[in-house]
Amino acid sequence: MRTDVLGVGFDNLTLEEAARAGADLVESEGFHYAVTPNPEFLLSARKDPEFKQALLAADLVLADGVGVIYSAKILGRPLKGKVPGIDFAQRLLAWMAEHGKRLFLLGAKPGVAELAAANLKSSYPGLIVCGTHDGYFKEDAPVVEAIRSSAADVVFVCLGAPKQEFWMVRNGPATGAHLMIGLGGSLDVFAGVVERAPKAFQKLGLEWLYRLMKEPKRIGRMIKLPLVLWYAMGARIRRR
Ligand code: UDP
C-alpha cells in the first residue's frame, strides 16, 4: 500500500529497498516506469490531473527530497526517508554494471548525455551505455526507434517534469525497455555540467538552498515550495 502525500501515493522505501525494487522491475517482463516527485511535482499535480495520473500509475514512486518527507510527517504518515532520484540512479547503476544490463541516456542539451555516458562508464566499470539522445527533439518516433534498436534494459529520461513523465507513459511500452526513470536534471550532474550540493548540504536536507545559491534565477520556482507544507497542514487540520 502506498503512502498518500497530497494526492500522490509514495512507496515507503529506504534507498536500499528502492534500489532492490528497481532491479526487480528491470528483471521482470514488460515495461515499467519510476517517478521521483519533489514538492514542485506535488504542486503541479494538484492543477494537472493528467500529470497526477502519470505519477499515480508509475510502478515506483520515490520521495525526492525533504519537502515530501516533511509533508508526510505533517500529515501523520511519516515515510522511511528521502530517496533522491540521483542516489537511486547511482545504486541501480552499480547493480546494472554487475549484471551486464544496458543503459540508454535520454535528455539534456546536445552533447551532455555523451559526456554523462563517458563519466558513468569510468565510475561504474563494466556498465554498458548502449545509446544516448539529447532532450530537444521534435518527433518521438525516431527516439523510440533508437531506444528499441539499442536493446536498452533501462532508460534514464531526463526531460524535466512533467514532460518526462508524459514521455514515459506515451512511448515507454514501444521501446522494449524494462524500466524508465524520470530523473530531471541528473544528466547535467553526471556530465559535470551542474554540480551537486556537497554532502553536508545533502545531509541537512538543504540541497535546495545550495541549488538556489548556484542558480538564483530558480527563486521564482522555489518560492512556491513552502506551499506544500501549508497544504499538508491544512489537510491534517481538516482530518481532525
Ligand atoms: N530538458 C530537456 N528537454 C526539454 C526541456 C528540458 O532535455 O525539452 C532537460 C534540461 O536540459 C535539463 C532537464 O531537462 O537537463 C531538466 O532540468 P530541471 O533542472 O528542470 O529538472 P529538475 O532536476 O529540477 O527536475
Side-chain angles (χ1 to χ4, degrees):
M1 231 206 25
R2 286 192 167 148
T3 302
D4 182 285
V5 181
L6 300 173
V8 175
F10 284 83
D11 289 300
N12 188 12
L13 302 172
T14 63
L15 178 59
E16 295 299 335
E17 290 167 346
R20 184 71 254 149
D24 288 345
L25 291 175
V26 180
E27 298 277 35
S28 45
E29 289 288 309
F31 170 71
H32 312 88
Y33 70 101
V35 294
T36 58
N38 60 28
E40 234 178 321
F41 285 49
L42 298 183
L43 293 178
S44 305
R46 286 169 76 88
K47 295 198 180 135
D48 182 347
E50 203 188 335
F51 181 43
K52 184 170 172 175
Q53 187 47 39
L55 297 178
L56 290 175
D59 299 275
L60 206 48
V61 184
L62 305 173
D64 185 307
V66 287
V68 177
I69 300 301
Y70 288 151
S71 302
K73 212 178 257 178
I74 290 169
L75 286 161
R77 300 190 271 266
L79 291 163
K80 287 180 185 168
K82 63 175 174 168
V83 184
I86 197 152
D87 291 339
F88 169 69
Q90 283 168 331
R91 299 287 163 121
L92 197 65
L93 286 168
W95 175 84
M96 289 176 67
E98 261 174 46
H99 292 81
K101 299 293 178 189
R102 301 166 70 82
L103 175 69
F104 191 104
L105 301 176
L106 172 62
K109 299 204 173 112
V112 173
E114 291 74 13
L115 260 179
N119 289 344
L120 291 177
K121 280 194 275 191
S122 73
S123 303
Y124 301 92
L127 181 71
I128 305 166
V129 181
C130 58
T132 56
H133 199 292
D134 70 75
Y136 295 85
F137 51 88
K138 293 239 159 50
E139 284 175 35
D140 289 348
V143 181
V144 169
E145 180 48 32
I147 298 173
R148 214 190 52 73
S149 57
S150 76
D153 297 296
V154 176
V155 186
F156 289 177
V157 184
C158 303
L159 306 172
K163 195 172 177 180
Q164 61 199 12
E165 285 72 24
F166 291 145
W167 204 88
M168 294 191 289
V169 168
R170 199 168 61 236
N171 297 300
T175 62
H178 291 295
L179 178 64
M180 284 191 176
I181 313 165
L183 284 171
S186 300
L187 288 186
D188 295 318
V189 176
F190 289 140
V193 174
V194 168
E195 195 191 333
R196 199 180 172 196
K199 282 268 177 321
F201 280 78
Q202 293 178 31
K203 277 213 180 96
L204 292 169
L206 292 175
E207 279 193 77
W208 59 272
L209 178 61
Y210 187 80
R211 200 148 184 205
L212 187 58
M213 284 165 13
K214 287 277 174 181
E215 294 174 73
K217 64 175 190 304
R218 293 181 80 94
I219 188 76
R221 277 169 74 172
M222 286 193 174
I223 203 104
K224 290 185 265 153
L225 301 187
L227 259 184
V228 285
L229 305 180
W230 181 250
Y231 289 144
M233 276 186 246
R236 179 73 189 256
I237 290 164
R238 277 198 302 279
R239 253 207 345 250
R240 280 202 184 135

